[in-house]
């Protein structure tokens, strides 16, 4: 029973993750917008040092070229997607998809399987239902364990998705998720694979508890009140509502997680962020509180379809494997 639950959850998660990957990539790019304005820029620092040295010597050397300041680009979901296609090609929308598949294999297989095992053990033997509080606790536990297992793949996915926005000479150019993990281990140490793991675990706990618990709760309410029968219509309605709840609850942590995981630490230099709280404070001070909801439109645009595909696929896989 336990192995079957993990297999069902894993298959559904991989299908959902791969099919909605472009939306996840756009979300990551949007969450990173505005970050460069309040982080140290090595080239800018060098320029400032040159001007300071020259002014000390009694003169300031300024290039004669005219500097044009471009207006900030539009940051809408569609405009970001179009810009990625125009500058990097259609294939760029699937940058890091190998990391997504590995992440779903590790993280989502664990959380979905563990949640189902706990639900089976904690459900009322007569009705088959479980109180909402137990569903939330089961989601918190399953999310934490799954995130701890899948953090290396999650880290690789964020970096591969964000790589295209960097200048060519600063890109990491990972060939695959395994190449990313290998390079990170060699260059930054094994412990770097769990960078941002506290955020990943917190986000996974919130997402899993809100997503799985709300799906089960809404589905049970629909069936009990006879609004719809137990079919695809019920699964789609319950899963879309669950996706919205998960997106609202997790977006602030997701923004901070993305920025901490994507930060580039130069040798001998202090990291841009000392931790999650420092990242949150710098982000809010520089960009305002609403910066924590950057990428919310692609988040809900991705979380909705992802959750629908996840649970509809899961229900169908369960039907196929019910005799095994």
């Amino acid at each position: 029973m336990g192995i079957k639950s993990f297999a069902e959850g894993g298959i559904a998660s991989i299908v959902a993750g791969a099919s909605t990957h472009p939306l996840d990539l756009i979300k990551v790019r949007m969450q990173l917008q505005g970050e460069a304005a309040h982080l140290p820029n090595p080239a800018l620092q060098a320029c400032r040092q040159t001007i300071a040295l020259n002014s000390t010597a009694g003169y300031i050397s300024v290039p004669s070229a005219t500097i044009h300041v471009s207006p900030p680009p539009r940051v809408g979901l569609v405009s970001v997607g179009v810009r990625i296609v125009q500058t990097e090609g259609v294939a760029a929308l699937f940058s890091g998809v190998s990391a997504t598949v590995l992440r779903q294999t590790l993280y989502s297989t664990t959380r979905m399987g563990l949640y189902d095992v706990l639900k089976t053990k904690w459900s009322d033997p007569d009705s088959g239902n479980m109180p909402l509080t137990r569903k939330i606790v089961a989601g918190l536990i399953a999310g934490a364990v799954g995130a701890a297992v899948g953090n290396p793949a999650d880290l690789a996915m964020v970096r591969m998705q964000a790589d295209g926005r960097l200048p060519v000479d600063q890109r990491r150019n990972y060939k695959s998720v395994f190449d990313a993990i290998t390079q990170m281990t060699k260059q930054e140490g094994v412990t770097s694979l769990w960078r941002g793991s506290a955020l990943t675990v917190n986000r996974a706990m919130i997402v899993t508890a809100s997503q799985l618990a709300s799906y089960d709760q809404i589905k049970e309410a629909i069936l009990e009140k006879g609004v719809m029968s137990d079919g695809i219509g019920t699964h789609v309605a319950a899963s879309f509502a669950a996706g919205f709840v998960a997106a609202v609850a997790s977006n602030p942590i997701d923004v901070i997680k993305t920025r901490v995981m994507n930060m580039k630490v130069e040798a001998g230099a202090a990291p841009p962020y000392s931790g999650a709280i420092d990242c949150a404070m710098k982000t809010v001070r520089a960009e305002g509180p609403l910066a924590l909801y950057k990428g919310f439109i692609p988040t809900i645009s991705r979380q909705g379809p992802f959750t629908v595909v996840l649970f509809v696929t899961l229900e169908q896989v369960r039907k196929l494997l019910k005799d095994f």
Side-chain angles (χ1 to χ4, degrees), residues 6 18 26 36 42 92 113 118 122 131 153 159 162 176 193-194 196 241 257-258 288 300:
F6 283 91
I26 293 172
L118 292 174
W122 293 353
R159 290 192 175 190
S176 67
L193 297 178
W194 276 269
K257 176 184 79 75
T258 296
I300 188 61

Side-chain angles (χ1 to χ4, degrees), residues 7 33 41 43 116 122 136 151 156 179 192 203 205 221 229 275 309:
Q33 286 178 336
N41 186 319
D116 203 50
W122 293 353
I136 293 173
N151 198 82
D179 179 51
S192 70
R203 177 190 177 277
M205 291 172 69
S229 59
V309 175

Side-chain angles (χ1 to χ4, degrees), residues 270-318:
Y273 306 118
S274 60
I277 295 177
D278 180 53
C279 179
M281 291 178 66
K282 285 180 178 176
T283 299
V284 171
R285 278 201 299 262
E287 304 168 54
L290 289 180
L292 296 178
Y293 274 91
K294 277 191 172 182
F296 179 73
I297 297 301
T299 293
I300 188 61
S301 299
R302 183 258 181 189
Q303 193 70 260
F306 173 86
T307 310
V308 170
V309 175
L310 173 67
F311 286 114
V312 170
T313 305
L314 180 63
E315 298 284 2
Q316 298 308 309
V317 171
R318 282 176 176 168

Side-chain angles (χ1 to χ4, degrees), residues 107 111 136-145 147 198-211 250 253:
Y107 159 63
R111 75 181 182 113
I136 293 173
V137 172
L140 292 172
I141 294 172
V145 175
L199 286 165
T200 305
V201 168
N202 287 333
R203 177 190 177 277
M205 291 172 69
I206 291 173
V207 168
T208 306
S210 57
Q211 186 185 66
S250 66
I253 293 179

Side-chain angles (χ1 to χ4, degrees), residues 1-11 109-111 113-114 117:
M1 178 63 191
I3 295 175
K4 182 181 174 184
S5 298
F6 283 91
E8 292 170 344
I11 293 170
T109 298
T110 302
R111 75 181 182 113
L114 185 55
V117 169

Side-chain angles (χ1 to χ4, degrees), residues 27-74:
K27 177 203 72 174
V28 167
R29 296 290 182 90
M30 291 182 72
Q31 288 174 339
L32 292 171
Q33 286 178 336
E35 181 184 38
H38 61 87
L39 291 184
N41 186 319
L44 183 59
Q45 295 296 334
C47 180
R48 286 173 177 168
Q49 289 172 7
T50 302
I51 292 175
L53 288 172
N54 289 340
S55 62
T56 303
Y59 67 93
I60 297 177
S61 175
V62 180
S64 59
T66 304
I67 298 175
H68 298 280
V69 179
S70 301
R74 294 169 60 197

